């Protein structure tokens, strides 16, 4: 009952052999097919999951050109991502193109999946926006004031989430 849509894209269709346990049939090519049948046991569901070898990181970078800015992002390869932000290789966020070159201020490692890292990044940005800015001291530079503000926001995030498995490394 499964048909090949094209040579590039395989056809995926549910078979109605047993409504209690649906079977997903995947056609790689017309000669070979793979069927996966989900079961109710927890162990077999875990065996179906493909482990993610990537370790996600949340990072804070600091611009070195006026006006001084900070940028928070997530990645699996920080060295490549920093090169993208600095324009050395293609990619990078549009928001970071104006502050080049960028320096690593902080990197937080230990996230097991994208959703954990994205949630942490989002909370860090939200707390950074909501926290009141302190009055400028004559002795503190603009970059120091920005980093202090981001650090205070990070402390709030760590209070609101379970972060004992994460490693925070401040470079600046």
């Amino acid at each position: 009952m499964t048909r090949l849509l094209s040579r590039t894209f395989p056809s995926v269709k549910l078979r109605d052999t047993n409504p209690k346990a649906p079977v997903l049939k995947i056609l790689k090519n017309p000669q070979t097919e793979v069927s996966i049948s989900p079961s109710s046991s927890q162990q077999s569901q875990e065996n179906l999951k493909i482990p993610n070898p990537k370790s996600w990181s949340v990072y804070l970078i600091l611009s070195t050109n006026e006006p001084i800015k900070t940028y928070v992002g997530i990645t699996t390869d920080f060295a490549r991502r920093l090169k993208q932000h600095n324009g050395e290789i293609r990619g990078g966020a549009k928001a970071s193109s104006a502050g080049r070159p960028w320096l690593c201020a902080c990197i937080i490692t230990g996230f097991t999946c994208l959703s954990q890292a994205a949630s942490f990044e989002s909370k860090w940005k939200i707390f950074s926006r909501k926290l009141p800015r302190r009055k400028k001291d004559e002795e503190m530079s603009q970059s120091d004031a920005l980093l202090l503000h981001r650090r205070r926001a990070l402390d709030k995030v760590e209070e609101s989430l379970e972060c004992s498995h994460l490693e925070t490394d401040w470079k600046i």
Side-chain angles (χ1 to χ4, degrees):
M1 257 334 206
T2 350
R3 65 189 172 120
L4 189 63
L5 295 177
S6 73
R7 291 183 183 167
T8 309
F9 301 102
S11 172
V12 177
K13 214 172 193 182
L14 282 174
R15 246 191 303 174
D16 282 336
T17 55
N18 183 359
K20 292 180 183 176
V23 176
L24 182 65
K25 191 173 185 178
I26 303 169
L27 262 177
K28 297 275 184 190
N29 60 39
Q31 287 79 28
T32 62
E33 62 182 57
V34 179
S35 294
I36 300 172
S37 173
S39 71
S40 59
S41 73
Q42 194 79 356
Q43 290 177 342
S44 62
Q45 286 179 358
E46 289 174 2
N47 291 339
L48 291 175
K49 291 181 184 176
I50 299 170
N52 188 359
K54 299 176 188 175
S55 175
W56 290 89
S57 302
V58 176
Y59 61 90
L60 171 69
I61 54 177
L62 179 73
S63 67
T64 55
N65 286 335
E66 292 289 333
I68 304 293
K69 300 187 237 178
T70 59
Y71 179 89
V72 175
I74 58 176
T75 187
T76 56
D77 183 359
F78 179 72
R80 173 193 49 81
R81 191 73 178 119
L82 186 60
K83 287 179 183 177
Q84 286 177 326
H85 284 298
N86 286 329
E88 296 171 24
I89 58 176
R90 292 187 70 158
K94 185 178 178 182
S96 67
S97 61
R100 293 176 181 160
W102 294 87
L103 300 173
C104 177
C106 175
I107 188 160
I108 302 159
T109 56
F111 297 97
T112 56
C113 63
L114 172 62
S115 62
Q116 274 185 343
S119 173
F120 190 94
E121 174 202 25
S122 175
K123 284 197 180 278
W124 196 0
K125 289 177 178 180
I126 289 168
F127 279 117
S128 292
R129 278 193 299 272
K130 288 186 175 182
L131 267 178
R133 304 266 180 182
R134 291 196 173 161
K135 292 180 182 177
K136 291 184 179 178
D137 291 335
E138 299 298 323
E139 302 165 8
M140 191 178 292
S141 68
Q142 183 183 2
S143 60
D144 288 343
L146 278 171
L147 289 174
L148 180 64
H149 182 77
R150 288 286 191 174
R151 186 165 203 147
R152 288 177 42 236
L154 179 61
D155 291 342
K156 293 282 186 188
V157 173
E158 289 173 343
E159 288 173 9
S160 70
L161 296 174
E162 169 55 40
C163 300
S164 61
H165 64 287
L166 302 176
E167 292 181 33
T168 305
D169 183 17
W170 284 91
K171 306 281 187 186
I172 297 178

